[in-house]
Amino acid sequence: MSFVLGVVLFALAIGVSIALHEFGHLLTAKMFGMKATEYFIGFGPRLFSFRKGETEYGLKAIPAGGYVRIIGMTALEEVDPADQKRAFYNQKVWKRVVVLSAGSVMHFIIGVLVVYFMAISTGMPNLENKPIVGEVSQCVPATQDTKTGALAPCGPGDKAPALAAGLQKGDRILSVAGKDTPVYADVLKATRQASGPTPFVVDRDGQRLTLSIDVAPVQRRPLDAKQGDERLETVGAVGLANASTIAYGVGSAVGPTFEFTGLLFQNAWEGLKRLPEKVPVVVKAIFGDNNPERPVSVVGASIMGGDAVERGLWEVFLILLAMLNLFIGVFNLLPLLPLDGGHIAVNVYEKVRNTIRRMRGRPIGAPVDYTKLLPLTYVMIFLGGALMLLTITADVVNPLRLGGQ
């Protein structure tokens, strides 16, 4: 049941993102005085609509996007003489670019807000492996199974040294036995080398504390042990686990939010650059290959979102949602028709061309004839549609699942 809930929630979140994308176009168009006559989510037959002022708002049957109709999107469109001043093509170029890019900007805003919400709720992934206590164990078993690596269960009255010393979840470990610990690997190394009472300096809610932890000698497999290696060595242990996520306060979350969003932007751009070479991977996925680095459609992302909710991994759900919004935002700005980025490129080209012509004392040129760009537009629609169909097919017949389900 939780899996279905996750799929539905993710699909609804995508729908809201699409609606906000189109709302970005509508809001900026109205802000600049352009005339927008329609705002619809979906395509095909109209399910319902209502009119407010000069704009009709509604929902259509095929949930595959949406659109805003602004009169005079190109100079080839016939416009009522009474609306000429409000036509899109009669506005300044910078205003046109703002309107065209507003959809992608909305996706970027959504991505940032989702990451910020994650930072103050579930916490963001501890990608830098910062030494922040995620869990304090009840006990530290003296030995480890040499074959399975399993530890013995805690007995009555057993108490781990970290728990006895008062180490708490969320403490950031600054040093162990006088050795600085910028990452958790440093904590692990210093702890394994220690024995008996050892000073652990921690940061707890901005307060610097020194805890004396009686490091216990235990029998553990070496860190470099390979499969089949049954050696044990005596090392120090205190009974703590590093945090996989880091939660922030309302104010302290701002910096990490933009830092993590920047990382997601970079991943989105890298994924976009590698998209053409991933087409064969998608084709192979249809026939059973399960490459985890293959592109996924909104269907595949929704399935993974369902898996995340089923496992209680809400931070993964939010990362998927943020990543999808950033990817769509970047993709939509590519200078290719019929994407918004293609229309931006045409408008910027006209501006640059006309500026050069004026500098040469020549009259401005005629508007770009979109009919001459139709063959290229049709090619891009065909390629984009084919890729979408392939990824959806792969996600239906052989979906990627979290945890290899």
Side-chain angles (χ1 to χ4, degrees):
M1 183 63 184
S2 56
F3 169 75
V4 175
L5 174 64
V7 172
V8 171
L9 284 177
F10 201 90
L12 286 174
I14 294 172
V16 171
S17 297
I18 293 172
L20 291 174
H21 173 112
E22 299 304 333
F23 182 72
H25 293 312
L26 179 70
L27 181 66
T28 50
K30 286 182 173 291
M31 181 175 67
F32 292 134
M34 302 177 195
K35 185 174 182 178
T37 58
E38 293 183 3
Y39 170 88
F40 274 88
I41 303 303
F43 298 98
R46 181 187 280 103
L47 296 179
F48 78 89
S49 67
F50 64 93
R51 181 172 293 278
K52 184 176 180 181
E54 63 188 11
T55 308
E56 182 182 10
Y57 301 82
L59 181 68
K60 293 193 173 182
I62 304 175
Y67 70 93
V68 174
R69 184 175 184 276
I70 304 171
I71 64 167
M73 283 299 295
T74 74
L76 300 177
E77 181 181 334
E78 292 187 10
V79 177
D80 188 307
D83 294 326
Q84 280 290 337
K85 290 184 178 181
R86 302 181 64 194
F88 180 85
Y89 63 75
N90 279 329
Q91 309 303 311
K92 292 182 177 180
V93 172
W94 72 267
K95 292 183 179 180
R96 285 182 259 166
V97 170
V98 168
V99 172
L100 290 168
S101 60
S104 285
V105 171
M106 289 299 287
H107 284 297
F108 299 152
I109 292 173
I110 293 169
V112 171
L113 292 177
V114 169
V115 172
Y116 179 77
F117 176 73
M118 177 174 63
I120 64 175
S121 57
T122 65
M124 289 195 292
N126 187 6
L127 298 179
E128 297 179 354
N129 206 24
K130 296 176 181 179
I132 297 176
V133 179
E135 182 182 354
V136 179
S137 303
Q138 178 62 38
C139 71
V140 178
T143 60
Q144 182 177 27
D145 190 290
T146 58
K147 294 183 178 180
T148 65
L151 300 176
C154 295
D158 289 347
K159 202 169 188 179
L163 184 64
L167 194 69
Q168 296 180 9
K169 181 178 181 180
D171 286 349
R172 179 164 184 167
I173 302 174
L174 304 177
S175 68
V176 176
K179 300 175 183 177
D180 291 339
T181 54
V183 296
Y184 180 68
D186 298 321
V187 174
L188 187 60
K189 181 179 179 180
T191 302
R192 289 173 72 94
Q193 294 174 347
S195 64
T198 303
F200 278 63
V201 179
V202 303
D203 182 301
R204 180 179 296 169
D205 297 326
Q207 184 179 3
R208 191 183 183 96
L209 303 174
T210 300
L211 304 177
S212 180
I213 301 181
D214 190 7
V215 179
V218 297
Q219 294 291 307
R220 294 287 186 269
R221 298 173 66 184
L223 293 177
D224 60 353
K226 299 179 180 179
Q227 188 174 5
D229 188 345
E230 298 183 7
R231 291 178 300 141
L232 291 177
E233 62 182 9
T234 301
V235 298
V238 297
L240 67 88
N242 204 37
S244 59
T245 58
I246 304 175
Y248 297 88
V250 174
S252 62
V254 175
T257 292
F258 284 102
E259 182 179 348
F260 189 68
T261 303
L263 179 61
L264 293 183
F265 258 119
Q266 182 180 349
N267 290 339
W269 176 241
E270 291 299 323
L272 190 59
K273 289 194 297 184
R274 299 180 61 191
L275 193 58
E277 68 184 63
K278 293 294 184 180
V279 174
V281 178
V282 177
V283 175
K284 290 179 181 179
I286 296 175
F287 296 97
D289 185 59
N290 234 350
N291 190 325
E293 294 187 1
R294 80 176 201 231
V296 297
S297 66
V298 292
V299 174
S302 297
I303 291 173
M304 294 174 71
D307 286 338
V309 171
E310 186 176 42
R311 293 167 175 264
L313 300 174
W314 285 99
E315 68 276 10
V316 176
F317 180 96
L318 294 172
I319 289 174
L320 287 170
L321 184 59
M323 188 70 185
L324 183 64
N325 272 282
L326 296 177
F327 181 86
I328 293 174
V330 173
F331 180 82
N332 195 55
L333 289 178
L334 290 177
L336 302 169
L337 291 170
L339 301 176
D340 289 336
H343 292 284
I344 292 173
V346 170
N347 281 274
V348 171
Y349 162 76
E350 287 184 348
K351 176 65 175 179
V352 172
R353 181 203 60 188
N354 290 338
T355 299
I356 294 175
R357 292 177 68 92
R358 287 194 188 97
M359 291 172 62
R360 293 180 175 179
R362 301 173 61 184
I364 63 173
V368 169
D369 188 350
Y370 273 81
T371 59
K372 294 181 179 179
L373 299 175
L374 284 178
L376 179 60
T377 302
Y378 291 147
V379 170
M380 295 308 304
I381 291 175
F382 173 78
L383 292 177
L387 180 59
M388 181 183 297
L389 182 61
L390 284 174
T391 53
I392 290 176
T393 302
D395 290 333
V396 170
V397 302
N398 186 27
L400 283 178
R401 308 298 297 271
L402 291 183
Q405 296 182 38

